[in-house]
Each structure stands twice: as structure tokens, then as C-alpha cells.
Amino acid sequence: MKLNERSVAHYATCNSPPDKTGFLFKKGERNTAYHRRWFILKGNMLFYFEERESREPIGVIVLEGCTVELCESESEEFAFAVKFDCVKARVYKMAAESQAAMESWVKALSRASFDYMRLVVKELERQLEEVQGERLLQAKNKAKKHLSQVQGAEAGLRTAAPSLQNAAITGPLQEGQSSRENGVSWSKNSGVANGVSEGCAWEGDCSARAEGVRPPPVPPRRKTNGGSLESPVSPGTGCFSKLHDWYGKEVAELRIEWLQSK
């Protein structure tokens, strides 16, 4: 793979945040001694500098398709190797300054390839689909529960509506209740003797009583005898005309007595 040296050098020293930085001992290809170098990991590219303050890298390792293995040699403490699948590919050997630094670098380099990132992205997408599926299922169950509650409430209203309507239209006033009209309420008097009502109690405004306002007269209610409309006081007055004539005669007699008394 051809690389533009200027572009690679600019990418190594630009302000983009690195994935990992630190000192490592790198084993030379010709000179097998270990040399202390400053390493910067960005994406799948591992840059190494001669010094930390160096402006340009002295080399770069493209980590795509590599494997990172620990070195089992006792003479090489905290050492690991970066290997590739190609037969003629170079094996890069490096060593850290401590066990913790070695483990950190091995983990970072193993996760630097795009193949690993692709696997991570697929796994994250799978987990996201599972979460979205669970949330969608919960939303559907919640919507079904709410719909069933609404339908049950509507059914209850439809069942109770006819009885409520009949009670509002045809429901009579219970005994002891009074009807109120034009600011005056009328109620039955508790005193009833011989089956004849003695009238109604007026429960109007107290100010109206103070001004001398009297309640309108209530026509007397007569007790019927065996279903007959005749008055026990004035027999033969079964109809209204006869009753009118009978009271007329009484009034005429009373008028004559009054005139004679003068």
C-alpha cells in the first residue's frame, strides 16, 4: 500500500485526539537491541517518534489484520509482538515499562483494526434492535391496556345512561323534599288532621315577610267519600256548577244579614 508521507506525518501530528500515547521499547529490525520510542495510536495506525517532542514520526505501523501476542521469553520482560498473516510480513516486537502498561497497550492494539470495530458496531446494532423491540412491545401492551380501559368506561356509560336519563326526566320528588320556584320554596305541612291537609308552609325570603308580602292562598283539599265528588257539608254539589250555586246562595244570605245589621 502506497502512503503519502506528508499526509501521514500531518495526521500523526495534527490536533485530532489520539486513542493512546506512551513510551515503549521497540526492537530494531537490523539492530536487535530495544530502543525507547514515543508511540501515538490513532485509529488503526501506530506512529512512533524518536522523542516525545519530535515534529515528524520516524515510522508507522498499519494495524489492519494484525494479531497481538505476548512474548514468552524470560529475557524479554513485559514484551509483546505484533504479527500479520502474510508470510513475508515483518514481526514488530515491543516491550512496556510495567505489567499494567503492557496489558493496556495489548488491549488497545488488539482493538485498533477496522475488523474489530465492525464487529463492535454489529453487536451494538443488535443490542439496539433488541432494546427498540422491547420498547415497542411495551408501548403496544400499554396502548392495548389503555384502549381496553377506555372501552370498558364507554360500555359502563352506555349501560348507565338510560337509567340516569329516566331518573332525571321522570324521577319524582321524594317525600320531605321541597320544590323552589322564583325564590320561594313550598313544602307540605306536617300537620294533617282527619286526612285533610291544613295548607302549605311558606318558606320565602325573610325580607318579603317584613314588607308584608303574604303567600298566595292554597285551595283546600276535600276528602272524598267512597269515590263521590259531593261535599259532606253541601250535599247535591257533585259538579262544579252546583257547587258554585250553593256557595253563591250562602254569600247572598251573608250579605243580606250584613245589610240588616246596619
Side-chain angles (χ1 to χ4, degrees):
M1 183 176 68
K2 294 182 179 180
L3 297 176
N4 188 299
E5 293 182 1
R6 291 183 180 180
S7 298
V8 172
H10 175 73
Y11 179 62
T13 57
C14 68
N15 294 328
S16 62
D19 298 320
K20 187 172 179 58
T21 60
F23 283 103
L24 288 173
F25 296 95
K26 177 180 173 295
K27 189 174 184 179
E29 183 177 8
R30 297 180 181 177
N31 185 4
T32 58
Y34 281 92
H35 302 279
R36 194 169 185 260
R37 300 286 184 252
W38 175 255
F39 283 81
I40 297 178
L41 176 63
K42 287 188 175 183
N44 63 345
M45 303 183 74
L46 180 63
F47 300 94
Y48 52 96
F49 299 77
E50 188 172 358
E51 297 293 338
R52 183 172 184 175
E53 293 79 11
S54 300
R55 295 183 178 181
E56 294 183 358
I58 59 177
V60 59
I61 303 173
V62 181
L63 301 173
E64 196 64 34
C66 72
T67 57
V68 183
E69 299 178 359
L70 298 179
C71 297
E72 298 179 356
S73 176
E74 296 181 358
S75 60
E76 298 174 338
E77 191 177 12
F78 309 130
F80 59 91
V82 179
K83 298 180 179 179
F84 296 88
D85 294 337
C86 299
V87 177
K88 296 182 179 181
R90 177 183 172 184
V91 177
Y92 294 89
K93 288 187 177 182
M94 286 165 279
E97 295 178 347
S98 63
Q99 180 70 22
M102 181 195 69
E103 293 177 357
S104 178
W105 272 107
V106 169
K107 183 182 297 184
L109 297 176
S110 300
R111 298 177 177 179
S113 65
F114 282 105
D115 289 337
Y116 177 82
M117 294 182 183
R118 191 179 298 111
L119 295 176
V120 172
V121 170
K122 288 183 178 180
E123 178 63 20
L124 292 176
E125 289 177 350
R126 185 188 65 80
Q127 295 178 4
L128 180 61
E129 290 177 357
E130 290 181 357
V131 172
Q132 290 177 347
E134 292 178 357
R135 289 182 178 178
L136 182 60
L137 182 60
Q138 292 177 359
K140 288 182 178 179
N141 294 335
K142 187 175 181 180
K144 288 181 180 179
K145 183 178 180 180
H146 180 68
L147 180 60
S148 62
Q149 292 177 353
V150 172
Q151 291 177 350
E154 291 179 352
L157 290 176
R158 286 195 297 268
T159 304
S163 59
L164 292 175
Q165 185 176 6
N166 294 334
I169 296 176
T170 63
L173 289 174
Q174 297 180 0
E175 186 177 357
Q177 293 182 345
S178 61
S179 61
R180 190 173 186 88
E181 183 176 0
N182 296 329
V184 179
S185 63
W186 300 84
S187 62
K188 293 183 178 180
N189 193 351
S190 58
V192 178
N194 298 326
V196 180
S197 174
E198 296 180 358
C200 299
W202 187 49
E203 299 178 359
D205 191 2
C206 295
S207 60
R209 292 184 181 182
E211 295 176 0
V213 179
R214 299 179 63 187
V218 181
R221 297 176 60 183
R222 302 287 182 177
K223 183 178 179 181
T224 58
N225 296 325
S228 175
L229 298 177
E230 293 185 357
S231 173
V233 181
S234 56
T237 56
C239 61
F240 177 77
S241 59
K242 293 181 180 181
L243 182 63
H244 183 271
D245 294 339
W246 188 85
Y247 276 108
K249 292 178 181 181
E250 185 178 359
V251 171
E253 293 176 358
L254 292 174
R255 185 173 182 275
I256 293 172
E257 292 179 0
W258 179 72
L259 291 174
Q260 291 177 357
S261 64
K262 287 186 176 182

